[in-house]
């Protein structure tokens, strides 16, 4: 199965909604993990704050780029690594990071599948209506 991560043409597709939501929530979790690491590893506070805030900012920026092309979805997968590696300072982040990585990958692929299925249903409905049979006030938005 080829790796097709091109975003749907839908304005509010499931792939983008699921993936962006997971990335933003993950950014909050990373920020709170940095606060914990600030107390647990006082001799590495500078590294902790730079690493954590850069990761959280990258997660939020990546969530905003998801509508543009397929590469931000891959970037989101790569950004799972620094989140998981926060486990070096906060042990619980090994489990939490792996959990978020699984959620993100599931959201990308399941959302893509849902968008393809919805596009197929919309195409069948448009074909059944025929040309020029579009009700007034309802475009193909959504």
């Amino acid at each position: 199965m080829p790796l097709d991560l091109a975003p749907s043409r839908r304005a509010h597709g499931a792939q983008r909604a699921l993936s962006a939501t997971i990335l933003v929530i993950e950014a909050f979790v990373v920020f709170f993990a940095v606060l914990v690491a600030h107390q647990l590893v006082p001799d590495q506070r500078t590294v902790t704050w730079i690493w954590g805030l850069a990761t959280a900012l990258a997660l939020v920026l990546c969530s905003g780029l998801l509508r543009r092309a397929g590469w931000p979805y891959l970037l989101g997968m790569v950004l799972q690594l620094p989140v998981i590696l926060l486990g070096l300072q906060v042990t619980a982040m090994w489990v939490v990071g792996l959990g978020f990585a699984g959620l993100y990958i599931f959201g990308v692929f399941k959302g893509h599948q849902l968008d393809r299925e919805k596009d197929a249903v919309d195409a069948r409905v448009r074909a059944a209506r025929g040309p020029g049979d579009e009700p007034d006030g309802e475009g193909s938005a959504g």
Side-chain angles (χ1 to χ4, degrees), residues 34-122:
V34 167
L35 291 175
V36 171
H38 178 83
Q39 293 299 320
L40 290 178
V41 192
D43 56 326
Q44 296 178 2
R45 286 184 175 162
T46 305
V47 172
T48 300
W49 280 100
I50 291 171
W51 177 4
L53 292 181
T55 302
L57 182 64
L59 289 166
V60 171
L61 290 175
C62 183
S63 73
L65 293 173
L66 292 178
R67 76 180 77 159
R68 305 208 182 272
W71 65 266
Y73 291 97
L74 292 173
L75 176 63
M77 289 182 196
V78 170
L79 286 174
Q80 301 307 308
L81 292 176
V83 174
I84 294 168
L85 289 176
L86 270 172
L88 294 171
Q89 294 181 329
V90 180
T91 308
M93 285 304 292
W94 292 114
V95 174
V96 173
L98 286 171
F100 270 108
L103 281 173
Y104 179 74
I105 292 168
F106 175 79
V108 168
F109 289 106
K110 190 61 169 179
H112 188 70
Q113 176 190 359
L114 291 171
D115 287 343
R116 277 185 309 177
E117 290 172 1
K118 179 69 170 136
D119 289 342
V121 168
D122 288 350

Side-chain angles (χ1 to χ4, degrees), residues 8-21:
S8 172
R9 293 182 312 263
R10 303 185 158 281
H12 303 287
Q15 181 184 28
R16 192 176 90 201
L18 288 171
S19 301
T21 300

